[in-house]
Amino acid sequence: MCGIVGYIGHGDKKQVLIDGLRELEYRGYDSAGIAMMDESGITHYKAVGKLINLENKASEYSSNSYGVGIGHTRWATHGKPNEVNAHPHLGEYSFVVHNGIIENYQELKKELQDEGVRFLSQTDTEVIVHLFEKFNNQLDNPFQAFEQTIAKLRGAYATLLITKKDPETIYFAKNGSPMIAGKDDHGSVYFGSSDAALIGKAKEVTYLTDGDYGFARSGTIHLFHAGESMVPAMVPLKSDKIYAQKEGFRFFMEKEIYEQSSVISDTMLGRVLDDEIHFDEIPDGLFDGIREIKVCACGTSYHAALASSYLFERLSQIRASVEIASEFRYKEPLLRTDTLFVVISQSGETADTLEALKMAKLAGIKTLALCNVDNSSIVREADATILLRAGIEKGVASTKAFATQMMVLWMLALYLAKDKMTAEKYRFDLEAMRLIPGLAKVNERIHEKVKRLSKRYLHGHGFFFIGRDIFYPLALEGALKLKEISYLHAEGYPSGEMKHGPIALADSELFTIALMPQTLLYDKTKSNIEELSARDSTICAISPKSFELADDMIRTSEQKHPMCEFFEMMVILQLLSMEVAVRRGNDVDMPRNLAKSVTVE
Ligand code: AGP
């Protein structure tokens, strides 16, 4: 998730911007930049890596004269993390910073290039500053030019722009990505991606809403929406920084569960098009001659890999196999050159997955990484990478990374299915995909119910999470989430396997979390659960259909596509593990014995 800051005032612009960016570091970034303008002119600095690198580059700059400044920490989604792609992006006489994804940037970029505009970066953001200058050169009116620019953008953006044509003004617009504007008692104006950047500076803030835009000048925020001038609703700013970094949630994990809806939208932007799937990142020929896909990962990423194998075979009709990286490394695998080796990793630094990837490359087979961190070791090693765009994931227990992995894998399966499915079935999946951001949104009523029923699951001699087909990997994931943060023993199991031994454990102290989707093998799953209930196992059923033998019932919505049920149940399992862990007094974000990235064997 990128971070943006803005400032208008008499203070030390550079320090205000750097301090603000430092408060946004928790959002994750791989490069940063600032631009300042006052009567002496416009200056900018950019640096890859941590903020200290930017501070060192800007060390000779100082100015306390009245002026404006904008700053940015970049989490790469389009274009490698390097100085050229770092924000601010500049035109002839303007600078822009942006958080989000401009979905139609390629067509805008082509239009501008056809008109002779030269682009320096690979980013989507750069189209904003060139569009602005194109319109301003025509209109000689920065505000109208900014209005016309914003009207051309599709996708998510929180953007700030400064220009020599209006040196004491910051132009802003918000749609889909967060942005806050604030004021202090001395006529200064501040902008930030979250409260955290403004705490200790602004006294009152306004939380901009989608479609808001305008400009700040001389201590005043001029707000517009759909062409109408609006009075900004100013409220006092909270003062707790850690609380602000969690954006009001109790834990980073909770914040990341609640973010899944919006980050899945980011993952889909520019990829799920009106009638097809598109991946900029897939080089021509990557899939030529491929007759098998082997997916390799660890932990939660392995669960996503396992679920994808069902999708690749069912949708893409490509043979799919799945490997746990630590096992794959030492099993002397038989690899064929008609195999595409896909590795999945949130961090991009997991040692076992990285070594497995190197083995595949040594065997001369093509490799693709699904990863959340650009320029990570795995990204640098793979032939191609599809970024998850989940933003930084601070909770050790992975949630939004898993959600975006599942989204990318489903998109990839459909991308490969284009000429293998009927147009009707292809459209059915595309339409189902568009429902996912809504289905991944936390249902507060269900969250409250999970909070209440979690008190019954604090002991017992173990949990079984069971499901069939793609709900079996989801059951594995639900069990891992519970183990990781509640420290209770839990196993994920295929529903149909319970009678092959595990049912011997069934009694009232054995808790079974049963995934009972309506769209896939419901009756088969139901009969497996009835066998457990008949042996007095305590059943918590998660299903759109009422199941009278359940001791606890969490009702999900009626859906037509299994993947819609998958994402809705995924959120419930994440919430359940978190609420049980809370009741057990555990550290939800940093559970004992665990690291966010396992960079050792
Ligand atoms: C997931 O909740 C765990 N933190 C862990 O299993 C993790 O998924 C695994 O270590 C793989 O990490 P990666 O996705 O960064 O490669």
Side-chain angles (χ1 to χ4, degrees), residues 298-301 344-350 353 378 396-399 405 477 480-481 484 594-598:
C298 301
T300 285
S301 300
I344 304 174
S345 176
Q346 187 288 129
S347 62
E349 299 300 342
T350 301
T353 309
I378 283 174
V396 168
S398 185
T399 50
Q405 286 167 357
E477 175 58 13
L480 176 60
K481 289 278 101 43
E484 281 192 277
L594 296 183
K596 183 60 188 168
S597 177
V598 183

Side-chain angles (χ1 to χ4, degrees), residues 273-293:
L273 308 181
D274 292 343
D275 54 7
E276 63 174 0
I277 301 291
H278 173 76
F279 284 109
D280 273 344
E281 306 89 335
I282 292 180
D284 293 340
L286 181 69
F287 293 101
D288 291 358
I290 295 299
R291 295 164 56 80
E292 175 179 352
I293 292 179

Side-chain angles (χ1 to χ4, degrees), residues 260-262 264-265 268 432-443 557 559 564 567-568 571:
Q260 287 181 137
S261 175
S262 65
I264 287 171
S265 296
M268 295 167 69
M433 279 181 181
R434 293 191 185 97
L435 299 175
I436 301 307
L439 292 170
K441 208 169 184 59
V442 174
N443 176 321
S557 60
Q559 293 296 328
C564 292
F567 279 92
E568 201 173 355
V571 175

Side-chain angles (χ1 to χ4, degrees), residues 61-104:
Y61 177 90
S62 75
S63 157
N64 278 5
S65 53
Y66 185 81
V68 298
I70 55 176
H72 186 267
T73 48
R74 179 172 182 252
W75 179 275
T77 57
H78 289 84
K80 288 293 174 202
N82 54 35
E83 274 194 31
V84 170
N85 290 331
H87 302 206
H89 287 287
L90 52 130
E92 299 296 324
Y93 50 80
S94 314
F95 284 78
V96 70
V97 293
H98 159 240
N99 175 22
I101 292 167
I102 307 297
E103 190 170 359
N104 60 332

